[in-house]
Amino acid sequence: MAPTLGVFGSPYDLWNKDLALDDLGTTAVWVGHTTIDGELVRRCHDEGARIFAEVGIMWGVSRADYADHPDVQPVGADDEPLNIVANYVAYACPLSSWWRHKRPVQTEDLMGAYELDGVWRDFMRYPARWEQPQPTLDQSCFCSRCLAPFEECTHIAVPNHATAERSAWILDQALDEWAEWKCSVIADFVSQASELVRRVRREAVLGMFSMPWQPQDFDNAIQRVIAQDFARLAQHLDAFSPMLYHTMYGRNVDWIGEYIKYLSQSTGRPVVP
């Protein structure tokens, strides 16, 4: 990717002030997928900017969705539904068959309907409330859909107890295998979703809004909890956009450049912070 100066969100706020993207030097726009329409795409292209759809993947589940599809809600280590909610919508179990079908098909339809330049996936991970210096890091998901394939893929026989006891055993006796398996679940989903987009538009740029952690942060929570293995994900993506909200994390500005260097070296991909 060429050097990019972009905006995140609808550019109508700029257009309503009689500002044009090309006059501002803006070469790219990232817009939430639910607000995209033909006029928006046309005007971005007319003003020399590429337009990318932001699609939240393991996020955006409504209370009604939970009611209609109970298996969508992730299960915590205590065998209780994981109730992490942001902006009135919530997270999905990464192995919910209904949700794994719903989101990629929505993206495929979007690419078919509009001349978009690519897709940036958001919330492509397991749940966590992380936008703070000390994040809330709950292990998940321990539903039956997740525990069965974990045992099958790792050849680990988890004691046949209640779910809370089984999750405690995994976290004590097989945490590394659990983390590796979770990372494979996320990477596999990214691979399948990317293939769907490529079928519609081979030249589409595929990116991801990624967590801004390194392995030494929070005892490797990036893989053990979040399940983002950047080297593995890079096989299916063209670029990464780490969410470097330094003030939220209590970091200084220098950290932004340090992290960009780390992620670029780890993935071999362009980084658009």
Side-chain angles (χ1 to χ4, degrees):
M1 292 179 65
T4 298
L5 175 64
V7 294
F8 182 91
S10 173
Y12 278 106
D13 285 343
L14 300 174
W15 292 334
N16 290 337
K17 297 178 181 179
D18 295 324
L19 297 170
L21 297 174
D22 43 1
D23 290 339
L24 298 170
T26 300
T27 57
V29 176
W30 283 263
V31 185
H33 72 282
T34 60
T35 62
I36 290 175
D37 58 39
E39 173 61 19
L40 176 67
V41 175
R42 182 199 63 77
R43 188 163 179 180
C44 285
H45 286 160
D46 286 349
E47 296 183 10
R50 291 182 293 176
I51 179 168
F52 304 105
E54 178 268 346
V55 182
I57 302 297
M58 298 303 170
W59 179 82
V61 188
S62 69
R63 294 300 191 188
D65 290 332
Y66 277 165
D68 294 339
H69 303 274
D71 66 330
V72 174
Q73 191 162 12
V75 174
D78 58 359
D79 196 22
E80 294 294 329
L82 200 64
N83 191 28
I84 297 180
V85 180
N87 300 328
Y88 307 103
V89 290
Y91 292 89
C93 166
L95 287 183
S96 166
S97 58
W98 175 70
W99 196 257
R100 283 175 71 96
H101 173 77
K102 177 183 174 72
R103 271 296 193 250
V105 168
Q106 285 178 330
T107 306
E108 186 180 20
D109 291 344
L110 192 70
M111 294 299 294
Y114 303 108
E115 291 295 322
L116 297 170
D117 296 282
V119 176
W120 248 249
R121 295 187 178 86
D122 205 353
F123 294 90
M124 192 64 256
R125 56 179 174 81
Y126 280 77
R129 184 176 287 116
W130 58 275
E131 302 95 333
Q132 52 200 23
Q134 291 299 320
T136 301
L137 301 173
D138 296 306
Q139 281 281 2
S140 65
C141 170
F142 295 97
C143 67
S144 58
R145 289 178 317 284
C146 291
L147 292 180
F150 167 69
E151 290 184 277
E152 181 180 351
C153 292
T154 62
H155 305 292
I156 293 174
V158 181
N160 190 21
H161 299 309
T163 300
E165 294 174 286
R166 302 187 83 200
S167 63
W169 187 93
I170 291 172
L171 298 178
D172 183 59
Q173 300 293 324
L175 180 57
D176 289 343
E177 292 85 353
W178 176 248
E180 169 68 17
W181 176 76
K182 286 172 62 174
C183 287
S184 73
V185 169
I186 296 301
D188 178 65
F189 190 79
V190 171
S191 173
Q192 294 180 31
S194 296
E195 278 300 311
L196 284 176
V197 172
R198 297 290 195 205
R199 290 177 197 172
V200 179
R201 187 159 298 117
R202 177 60 57 180
E203 70 278 10
V205 180
L206 302 178
M208 174 180 181
F209 292 102
S210 57
M211 296 288 286
W213 294 344
Q214 298 186 44
Q216 64 266 29
D217 295 322
F218 313 111
D219 192 25
N220 197 22
I222 187 66
Q223 294 186 10
R224 290 188 171 189
V225 179
I226 301 302
Q228 289 185 347
D229 181 331
F230 297 130
R232 186 179 301 185
L233 291 168
Q235 300 174 38
H236 314 294
L237 297 170
D238 301 310
F240 287 84
S241 290
M243 296 176 284
L244 298 168
Y245 314 143
H246 65 288
T247 302
M248 286 183 176
Y249 314 138
R251 306 277 191 143
N252 60 38
V253 175
D254 292 340
W255 168 74
I256 296 175
E258 294 166 0
Y259 190 86
I260 291 171
K261 182 178 180 181
Y262 156 76
L263 189 59
S264 178
Q265 292 175 344
S266 299
T267 64
R269 293 286 185 263
V271 177
V272 186

